[in-house]
Amino acid sequence: MRKQYVILITVVGLVALLCIQGFWLYHTYYLLHRNLIATFEDGFARSIEKEVYLRNEIHKNQIMNGSVVAGARPDQDFYNNVLAFHEFLLTFDFPISLLTVDSIWSQRIHDEVPGTVKYRLIHTDAGGKVIEEINRGADENSTDTLRIERPIRNDNSEYLQMIIDSPFKLVMRRMTVLLVASILIVFLLIYIMYRQVDTIFKQERIAGIRDDFMHAMVHDMKNPISNLLLLTGQLQRGIYDDNPERKELTFSVTMQQINRLLAFTNKILTVSQFESGKIVLSKSEVKLKELIDSLIDDYKLNPAKPTAFTTEIADDITVYAAEDYIGDVFRNLIDNAIKYSKSSVAINIGAEKKKSGTIIRIRDNGIGIAEKDRKLLFMKFERIGVTDKNRKTGFGLGLYFVHQIITAHGGSISVNSVPDEYSEFTIFLPDKT
């Protein structure tokens, strides 16, 4: 449940951040759009104003001295004065120049709006009939347009229209850097939250692994220690002094328990040494069949379950390896085959020589390994398939230990398995180069 809560809180937090980010972007777009419209509207009116006064300046020598511009007053809106001057100039037959308005507008917008602005400048009458038009790259069929209209006669009989193409794109162009930064921030937030959740889960998993390891260590060491206390107590009290055979057996069992404890501690120390790079392998040519036969003889002396071994190894096959460590590899794999098996065990060990090395296969008829567990098989402290701590023991170091040794030899190990049928480990050990 804790994982579900962590994921839920993370998703809710991420959605909330995305909503805030989206609202901020929308508000920014709204302000930029409104500002752009204001820029276009003011620029259009000022362009008309400048054209009218420029026209008045050009024709001032042709205007009668003392002429009064009716309706023009300093205290009124500037555009009303523009209309008054335009009406005044029309009385002298000096009409508005659409080209001049276009030139003034394009220069003004070029200075205030980044990029290319496509537009149509149209002179129409009150009924919408086009008197004159200038098109600067605008798509006449576009549905994304901004229309600005200004009357140029006091009686509203004529208008100038500015139709700007794709104002949305113009706003988005202004927001390019902001959008890119926002996208990067969103991805960064997602990555940070992912790493946070992943770290929480890893910490939870590490805590579980630690508990499993401590339980396994206590469980696997408690029995031999208890047995040693019992056996050494019996020997100390001399209860078998009159029975040499029983005394020898007690010594033998005591040594087995000591060796079992020693094997546990050596495995942990060896893994630590491999990880720190402190182990130097002393390799030599090892006769594989002799090594495997020796291991099989050990298991036949004191079998945990009825176990049948078959081998397919030629007498002349050798591997270039550190004999003690490679023997531990085979011992671990055989232990697992017996441990994770049914009531009777059948183990087949085969080997074949290849051009660059030797392939060894160890196959059993055990419970198998689910496909989803195979990627975790050689990881440290992983105990695949353990659901009852009291049912299967172990530190979760065996296959990790095997993988470390094989890797240190420059080889590789893989597994093929069918649940409830078999598991087959394939080891490749390179020849001496």
Side-chain angles (χ1 to χ4, degrees):
M1 289 298 292
R2 183 182 173 186
K3 287 185 178 181
Q4 293 176 350
Y5 286 135
V6 169
I7 293 174
L8 178 62
I9 292 170
T10 301
V11 170
V12 170
L14 182 60
V15 170
L17 287 172
L18 290 176
C19 288
I20 293 171
Q21 184 84 351
F23 175 78
W24 175 63
L25 286 173
Y26 173 78
H27 186 65
T28 303
Y29 172 83
Y30 172 76
L31 291 176
L32 286 175
H33 186 264
R34 191 171 67 175
N35 178 262
L36 187 67
I37 291 174
T39 299
F40 285 146
E41 288 180 342
D42 181 68
F44 188 39
R46 293 297 180 181
S47 298
I48 296 172
E49 176 192 32
K50 190 171 182 179
E51 189 280 336
V52 170
Y53 291 138
L54 182 63
R55 185 162 24 111
N56 182 68
E57 183 68 22
I58 291 172
H59 299 295
K60 67 180 180 178
N61 293 331
Q62 299 170 267
I63 298 172
M64 294 175 59
N65 291 331
S67 297
V68 177
V69 180
R73 299 196 313 272
D75 61 336
Q76 70 178 351
D77 177 73
F78 83 94
Y79 200 74
N80 288 328
N81 287 331
V82 169
L83 293 178
F85 270 89
H86 178 59
E87 293 285 356
F88 173 73
L89 289 168
L90 287 177
T91 61
F92 294 96
D93 198 23
F94 298 138
I96 192 167
S97 171
L98 206 63
L99 282 172
T100 303
V101 175
D102 174 61
S103 177
I104 296 168
W105 156 268
S106 62
Q107 183 59 50
R108 185 184 186 94
I109 293 305
H110 180 270
D111 295 337
E112 296 185 11
V113 180
T116 302
V117 178
K118 299 177 181 180
Y119 60 90
R120 294 162 63 201
L121 179 58
I122 307 173
H123 182 189
T124 67
D125 61 18
K129 182 180 178 181
V130 176
I131 300 171
E132 186 180 1
E133 177 180 349
I134 296 175
N135 190 327
R136 298 302 185 191
D139 181 3
E140 296 184 9
N141 298 317
S142 175
T143 56
D144 179 23
T145 59
L146 171 64
R147 183 184 296 268
I148 304 170
E149 189 173 69
R150 283 280 180 174
I152 56 172
R153 298 297 299 270
N154 283 325
D155 60 359
N156 292 331
S157 61
E158 293 182 24
Y159 293 87
L160 285 187
Q161 293 182 0
M162 178 65 67
I163 303 175
I164 300 165
D165 197 10
S166 302
F168 174 78
K169 291 181 180 178
L170 296 175
V171 176
M172 296 306 291
R173 190 185 300 156
R174 283 188 168 190
M175 293 180 65
T176 299
V177 175
L178 189 61
L179 286 171
V180 171
S182 297
I183 291 170
L184 290 176
I185 289 171
V186 167
F187 277 111
L188 182 62
L189 285 172
I190 292 173
Y191 176 75
I192 289 172
M193 288 188 172
Y194 166 76
R195 294 297 301 173
Q196 179 181 346
V197 172
D198 186 56
T199 299
I200 292 171
F201 288 172
K202 281 183 178 178
Q203 288 175 343
E204 197 171 73
R205 181 171 170 270
I206 289 169
I209 288 173
R210 180 192 61 199
D211 292 343
D212 284 348
F213 178 77
M214 292 299 295
H215 180 91
M217 183 175 69
V218 171
H219 186 277
D220 282 5
M221 288 189 169
K222 181 180 178 181
N223 285 341
I225 290 173
S226 298
N227 291 335
L228 283 172
L229 287 173
L230 176 63
L231 294 169
T232 54
Q234 292 173 344
L235 292 172
Q236 186 180 31
R237 291 193 300 272
I239 61 176
Y240 298 130
D241 287 349
D242 296 334
N243 190 341
E245 290 183 2
R246 187 62 183 269
K247 185 175 183 178
E248 183 63 30
L249 178 61
T250 303
F251 270 118
S252 176
V253 174
T254 301
M255 290 304 299
Q256 286 180 0
Q257 298 300 317
I258 292 172
N259 288 331
R260 183 179 172 188
L261 282 175
L262 186 62
F264 287 154
T265 55
N266 282 342
K267 185 178 291 184
I268 296 171
L269 289 173
T270 301
V271 166
S272 176
Q273 289 172 334
F274 266 113
E275 290 178 339
S276 63
K278 293 180 179 179
I279 285 185
V280 178
L281 298 176
S282 179
K283 300 179 186 179
S284 62
E285 293 292 341
V286 178
K287 291 184 177 180
L288 187 60
K289 184 171 176 54
E290 289 184 7
L291 177 61
I292 296 297
D293 286 344
S294 174
L295 291 174
I296 292 174
D297 289 340
D298 290 342
Y299 283 97
K300 287 180 177 179
L301 287 174
N302 189 21
K305 294 179 183 178
T307 305
F309 288 93
T310 57
T311 59
E312 299 174 11
I313 306 171
D315 292 338
D316 60 343
I317 290 182
T318 61
V319 292
Y320 184 65
E323 185 171 354
D324 290 343
Y325 287 117
I326 208 65
D328 287 338
V329 166
F330 300 140
R331 188 175 289 108
N332 268 278
L333 294 176
I334 294 172
D335 282 342
N336 281 347
I338 296 172
K339 188 177 186 180
Y340 297 95
S341 66
K342 302 167 187 176
S343 56
S344 61
V345 190
I347 299 174
N348 176 266
I349 304 174
E352 59 179 313
K353 203 71 177 176
K354 294 294 184 181
K355 184 176 180 181
S356 57
T358 305
I359 293 177
I360 304 115
R361 294 184 177 89
I362 299 178
R363 182 185 178 108
D364 63 59
N365 64 338
I367 62 175
I369 304 163
E371 186 174 355
K372 64 182 180 64
D373 291 331
R374 290 176 205 167
K375 61 182 179 181
L376 305 173
L377 200 59
F378 299 106
M379 293 179 66
K380 193 175 183 180
F381 299 127
E382 286 293 344
R383 300 166 70 219
I384 303 302
V386 175
T387 56
D388 181 356
K389 292 179 181 179
N390 295 319
R391 186 168 61 85
K392 294 185 180 76
T393 62
F395 292 166
L397 290 175
L399 290 177
Y400 177 76
F401 173 78
V402 166
H403 185 267
Q404 289 284 332
I405 293 175
I406 296 300
T407 302
H409 280 79
S412 62
I413 182 170
S414 61
V415 63
N416 182 32
S417 181
V418 175
D420 296 322
E421 291 189 21
Y422 73 89
S423 293
E424 182 177 73
F425 287 85
T426 302
I427 298 169
F428 173 75
L429 291 174
D431 289 336
K432 181 178 181 181
T433 56

